[in-house]
Amino acid sequence: DVRTANVNLCDFSAGMLAKQRGLKNFLRTNMYEQYEVQRMEHTARQIITLLFNTFAENPGLLPDNVRSHFKNERKRGNEKRIVCDYISGMTDKFAKDEYDKLKG
């Protein structure tokens, strides 16, 4: 019943909601919209997109254990989930190194 309810059953108080909005506005202005952060986000998006497309189109480039999961899930149409899970488990440095290797 809780999951299907069409109304909020629990929420912050009005005062806390105002503080939350203020914090979100502060973070947006002073962090998320900053030049350096925008550049990092753009670069990260490029890296992840290239890794995903490359591995999804060329599963032979995946490590053996990941490739076997990919093949099993392909039968069920879930192979993209395996690629997503593999990439999501990467550290930033590992993802960047893989990107650099694939870009040659």
Side-chain angles (χ1 to χ4, degrees):
D1 290 341
V2 170
R3 291 181 187 202
T4 60
N6 292 326
V7 296
N8 286 340
L9 300 176
C10 182
D11 207 345
F12 290 127
S13 66
M16 187 56 73
L17 280 171
K19 288 180 181 181
Q20 180 194 36
R21 276 192 302 276
L23 177 59
K24 285 183 176 185
N25 289 335
F26 173 84
L27 290 172
R28 185 179 314 104
T29 301
N30 295 290
M31 188 173 148
Y32 304 136
E33 293 177 354
Q34 294 299 308
Y35 163 79
E36 297 89 353
V37 174
Q38 293 292 314
R39 288 183 62 113
M40 287 189 309
E41 182 181 339
H42 176 76
T43 300
R45 190 177 310 277
Q46 287 182 317
I47 290 170
I48 292 169
T49 299
L50 179 123
L51 291 176
F52 178 83
N53 290 336
T54 300
F55 291 137
E57 294 168 10
N58 304 286
L61 298 173
L62 292 164
D64 290 342
N65 62 323
V66 178
R67 189 171 50 244
S68 68
H69 288 298
F70 182 95
K71 288 178 182 177
N72 288 336
E73 291 301 318
R74 179 179 265 169
K75 298 170 191 168
R76 294 180 248 194
N78 296 328
E79 67 274 13
K80 290 180 181 178
R81 168 57 40 204
I82 300 304
V83 175
C84 288
D85 290 347
Y86 177 59
I87 293 170
S88 72
M90 293 179 175
T91 63
D92 292 351
K93 181 179 178 354
F94 184 71
K96 177 77 167 70
D97 290 346
E98 288 292 287
Y99 175 85
D100 291 341
K101 287 177 195 173
L102 292 170
K103 288 292 280 187

